């Protein structure tokens, strides 16, 4: 679990980060959260984004696409919500969720940094 906390703390150092979570999309439960606050309830975001991931996985299956989801981006007026599915054998079924303030974030750099965090994360 220390590895999870460390990864989430590192995610919140990304420019513009509002909050981060590691989520089990089988259950919709956040295994860890950092940041958030009154404007962003990370437990609610974890559950809601689980539905997004499940819908995309189901759609890919229906389309017969034999590919992996790297990340899912939701762009709001003032925020980016980045969902990165973990790919390791032991980490299938989990995703990293990162909420960013759009005015302070560099989306390309955030995606790059989240990919590095994912590579070092052991669930």
């Amino acid at each position: 679990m220390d590895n999870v906390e460390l990864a989430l703390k590192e995610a919140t150092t990304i420019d513009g980060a509002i909050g981060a979570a590691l989520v089990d999309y089988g259950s919709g439960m956040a295994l860890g959260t950092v940041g958030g606050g009154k404007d962003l309830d990370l437990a609610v975001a974890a559950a809601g984004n689980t539905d997004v991931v499940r819908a995309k996985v189901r759609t890919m299956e229906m389309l017969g696409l034999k590919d992996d989801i790297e990340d899912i981006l939701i762009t709001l007026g003032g925020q980016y919500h980045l969902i990165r599915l973990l790919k390791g054998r032991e980490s299938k079924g989990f995703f990293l969720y990162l909420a960013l303030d759009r005015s302070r974030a560099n989306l390309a750099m955030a995606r790059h940094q989240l990919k590095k965090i994912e590579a070092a994360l052991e669930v």
Side-chain angles (χ1 to χ4, degrees):
M1 192 62 162
D2 290 335
N3 188 29
V4 170
E5 289 177 36
L6 190 63
L8 293 176
K9 284 180 183 175
E10 187 175 344
T12 59
T13 67
I14 295 171
D15 286 343
I18 299 169
L22 176 67
V23 183
D24 173 348
Y25 68 82
S27 68
M29 299 294 296
L31 302 178
T33 62
V34 175
K38 66 177 179 62
D39 294 330
L40 179 64
D41 183 329
L42 289 170
V44 171
N49 285 312
T50 293
D51 292 337
V52 171
V53 171
R54 288 178 185 161
K56 188 59 189 171
V57 168
R58 192 171 46 252
T59 301
M60 288 179 63
E61 288 171 355
M62 291 186 311
L63 292 170
L65 297 175
K66 305 290 186 222
D67 208 345
D68 294 321
I69 299 170
E70 186 171 328
D71 58 37
I72 298 169
L73 172 65
I74 300 168
T75 304
L76 305 177
Q79 296 178 353
Y80 293 123
H81 291 226
L82 192 55
I83 301 166
R84 180 161 186 91
L85 277 69
L86 276 58
K87 291 188 177 33
R89 172 180 294 212
E90 299 298 320
S91 55
K92 277 235 183 256
F94 298 96
F95 65 86
L96 283 168
Y97 167 70
L98 178 65
L100 299 158
D101 178 325
R102 190 171 170 174
S103 68
R104 298 183 301 123
N106 177 322
L107 185 55
M109 283 304 297
R111 289 183 70 223
H112 176 72
Q113 289 172 291
L114 204 57
K115 184 176 182 178
K116 284 176 49 180
I117 292 168
E118 177 219 348
L121 181 60
E122 295 175 18
V123 179

